[in-house]
Amino acid sequence: MVEVNCETDFVAKRPEFHELAKSLAMQIAACPTVEAISKDDISAEWIEREKRVSDIYIYFHGYIYIYVHMHRYVYIHGCVLIYVCVFVYIYIYACVYIYIRVSTIYIYIYIYIYIYSHIYIYI
């Protein structure tokens, strides 16, 4: 089965798009490794073999939080003149999703990094 998609209707209705879909299907049907062209060509043992094959899903995800707090007192002649305080929060979320089906492996990786910081200065 061949599925060819497009975003707009005016492209999907053009004869060139129909010709592309037909040409792709004919190329696949002409391939010597294709076992079946129609539903009737599929053997019962092939269907049973496909039913036994199970999909494998692997999913990893994790969070990393980094919190940094720095502060400094500025003294002049023994008296506190300025207090500087810096906060930095770093939040990292990583996700790896692996899907394995027969001879195809799909790997999706998502990484989100969020950094938030603020500085306080007290005089």
Side-chain angles (χ1 to χ4, degrees):
M1 178 184 295
V2 177
E3 180 178 343
V4 181
N5 296 318
C6 66
E7 295 287 327
T8 59
D9 289 341
F10 70 88
V11 172
K13 293 178 182 178
R14 294 196 49 88
E16 293 91 350
F17 187 77
H18 292 267
E19 182 63 32
L20 171 68
K22 184 178 179 182
S23 296
L24 288 172
M26 295 304 252
Q27 286 294 325
I28 292 170
C31 181
T33 60
V34 173
E35 297 176 14
I37 296 175
S38 70
K39 183 179 176 182
D40 299 330
D41 295 338
I42 300 173
S43 64
E45 60 267 2
W46 187 86
I47 293 172
E48 288 301 316
R49 185 179 73 223
E50 283 297 308
K51 286 180 181 177
R52 285 187 303 226
V53 173
S54 62
D55 298 342
I56 299 172
Y57 297 96
I58 303 170
Y59 182 73
F60 302 102
H61 70 97
Y63 301 92
I64 299 173
Y65 296 100
I66 301 172
Y67 170 71
V68 179
H69 175 227
M70 297 174 286
H71 60 91
R72 169 74 64 177
Y73 292 97
V74 178
Y75 293 97
I76 295 180
H77 299 293
C79 295
V80 176
L81 181 64
I82 300 174
Y83 174 69
V84 179
C85 183
V86 178
F87 295 96
V88 179
Y89 303 96
I90 302 173
Y91 167 75
I92 302 171
Y93 172 72
C95 172
V96 177
Y97 175 76
I98 302 171
Y99 169 64
I100 302 171
R101 169 75 174 153
V102 187
S103 62
T104 306
I105 299 174
Y106 300 96
I107 300 175
Y108 302 98
I109 300 173
Y110 304 99
I111 298 176
Y112 301 101
I113 300 174
Y114 176 72
I115 300 173
Y116 173 72
S117 66
H118 54 273
I119 300 172
Y120 295 107
I121 299 175
Y122 299 101
I123 300 175

